[in-house]
Amino acid sequence: MPAPSAKDYEATLIDPDVPHRTVLLQETMELLRPSPGATVVDATLGPGGHTEALLDLTGPTGRVIGIDRDPAAIALARDRLGRFGDRFVTLLGDHRDVVTLLHGIDVVVVDAVLADLGVSSHQLDDPSRGFAFSTDGPLDMRMDPGSNGPSAADLVATLDEPALRDLIATWEEERLAGRIARALVRERSRRPIVTTGALASLVEKVAGPSARRFRIHPATRTFQALRIVVNREIEGIPAFVNGAVSLLRHGGRLAVISFHSLEDRAVKTSMHGLAHRCICPPGLPVCGCGRENVVRLVTSRPIVPGPAENASNPRARSAKLRVVERL
């Protein structure tokens, strides 16, 4: 039986029976071009939607290595993809450490690398993880809950007012950052803010009744800013892009999906930095400056979801896909 093509995965984008819908699946497979027998890294495994497609497309001699810092995500993916046997390898760790993690299993060259930087629906919908405020839960937000890093509750409890204001204003450009920070400091002096409901309620009070006119909940930006800082989501992107590219064989491709404007900017800057290293005048037959380009940009502009995917999966609307190829 021949391996399915990337086009075959188009239907899964709008399947109402799929609880977690993998974003930009068809476009990612077409641009990443996983071939039969290839070794591919999914550096942000999550529930394994992209990984499943990669395992199908690489065929019986291919191998996909899935990396995630969330033990629950790895357990879920193993259960879902166990039928692929030893073709599917999982590694517990941070995608920013992709080189170290792969060297640890004696893998030094791969054919493709993928990273989907978004939080999975399984994490968002689990109240115990503290990523969302649709239902009350502990104010955690750590993608690796077993780590020693600070939770969102820790940041809310320990940062002073200027630091809280800067956190919310810098990472989410929240116009009410100063008022929210002031309210957080005032409230925590009375009682600890340790649940998502308590934080959401406080921000909603600061925003006032007029905030109900807007499409998103007034606490959305504050939650996202805290999540970004808790998980150091932006700061590790350059290291990841450079590390992933260093693992690629010549002609291999790196695809990165981001969901936040600052994420996309960091991805773009990192990729362009590797694609425009050479400073020689145009027309030279060979590079004379010694700063040869490492990759070429496969996507000059980010690929975004089409109308059908946006309609069926609202969480996909902010997704942007960028791809480079190793020279």
Side-chain angles (χ1 to χ4, degrees):
M1 181 184 227
S5 68
K7 189 74 174 176
D8 294 331
Y9 289 98
E10 184 175 19
T12 67
L13 296 174
I14 55 175
D15 185 354
D17 295 323
V18 177
H20 174 86
R21 296 173 188 171
T22 304
V23 174
L24 289 168
L25 182 58
Q26 178 191 349
E27 295 86 346
T28 301
M29 295 303 114
E30 289 178 347
L31 290 171
L32 207 56
R33 303 185 310 182
S35 58
T39 296
V40 184
V41 177
D42 186 343
T44 51
L45 176 61
H50 286 111
T51 303
E52 183 174 26
L54 292 168
L55 285 162
D56 281 335
L57 292 168
T58 54
T61 59
R63 179 168 64 152
V64 179
I65 302 166
I67 299 171
D68 207 291
R69 47 180 163 172
D70 185 350
I74 287 186
L76 180 66
R78 281 176 176 167
D79 183 60
R80 175 180 180 178
L81 305 175
R83 68 185 185 278
F84 291 101
D86 58 9
R87 290 184 51 221
F88 174 47
V89 179
T90 59
L91 296 173
L92 179 64
D94 195 315
H95 62 280
R96 291 171 289 198
D97 301 323
V98 61
V99 174
T100 301
L101 290 168
L102 263 64
H103 285 182
I105 58 170
D106 297 324
V107 175
V108 295
V109 180
V110 299
D111 298 287
V113 181
L114 165 67
D116 177 349
L117 301 179
V119 180
S120 76
S121 296
H122 296 279
Q123 290 170 323
L124 286 170
D125 296 337
D126 183 354
S128 70
R129 303 301 299 274
F131 287 106
F133 42 80
S134 54
T135 54
D136 199 17
L139 190 59
D140 193 316
M141 299 193 192
R142 289 173 296 178
M143 291 185 183
D144 46 352
S147 73
N148 295 322
S151 67
D154 294 329
L155 296 182
V156 169
T158 59
L159 295 180
D160 60 24
E161 184 178 326
L164 283 169
R165 180 195 63 227
D166 291 346
L167 183 156
I168 300 168
T170 300
W171 298 111
E172 278 297 325
E173 300 178 341
E174 170 60 71
R175 63 184 180 84
L176 299 176
R179 289 169 57 187
I180 293 170
R182 191 157 48 250
L184 287 172
V185 172
R186 184 172 58 247
E187 179 66 18
R188 76 188 188 191
S189 68
R190 301 170 185 162
R191 61 184 69 84
I193 304 170
V194 295
T195 67
T196 57
L199 177 59
S201 177
L202 185 146
V203 176
E204 193 170 18
K205 288 178 182 176
V206 171
S210 62
R212 296 173 185 171
R213 300 196 311 265
F214 299 103
R215 182 173 60 87
I216 65 171
H217 190 283
T220 300
R221 291 189 179 91
T222 299
F223 269 71
Q224 289 187 163
L226 285 167
R227 192 202 79 209
I228 287 170
V229 174
V230 165
N231 295 292
R232 300 176 295 128
E233 294 177 25
I234 309 295
E235 67 186 65
I237 288 175
F240 167 71
V241 171
N242 283 273
V245 166
S246 74
L247 292 165
L248 293 174
R249 64 166 176 80
H250 292 173
R253 291 188 172 187
L254 165 66
V256 181
I257 301 171
S258 61
F259 291 82
H260 188 283
S261 59
L262 293 178
E263 277 182 340
D264 179 61
R265 188 183 307 167
V267 173
K268 176 183 176 181
T269 300
S270 300
M271 288 182 168
H272 279 246
L274 294 174
H276 302 299
R277 285 168 47 88
C278 180
I279 56 175
C280 292
L284 288 184
V286 295
C287 173
C289 70
R291 292 170 48 87
E292 293 183 334
N293 298 335
V294 181
V295 301
R296 76 172 183 89
L297 302 176
V298 177
T299 54
S300 57
R301 294 183 178 181
I303 305 299
V304 298
E309 184 171 4
N310 283 330
S312 67
N313 185 11
R315 287 176 177 170
R317 288 175 182 165
S318 59
K320 293 181 178 179
L321 167 65
R322 294 184 184 272
V323 182
V324 293
E325 181 179 297
R326 179 70 187 264
L327 297 175

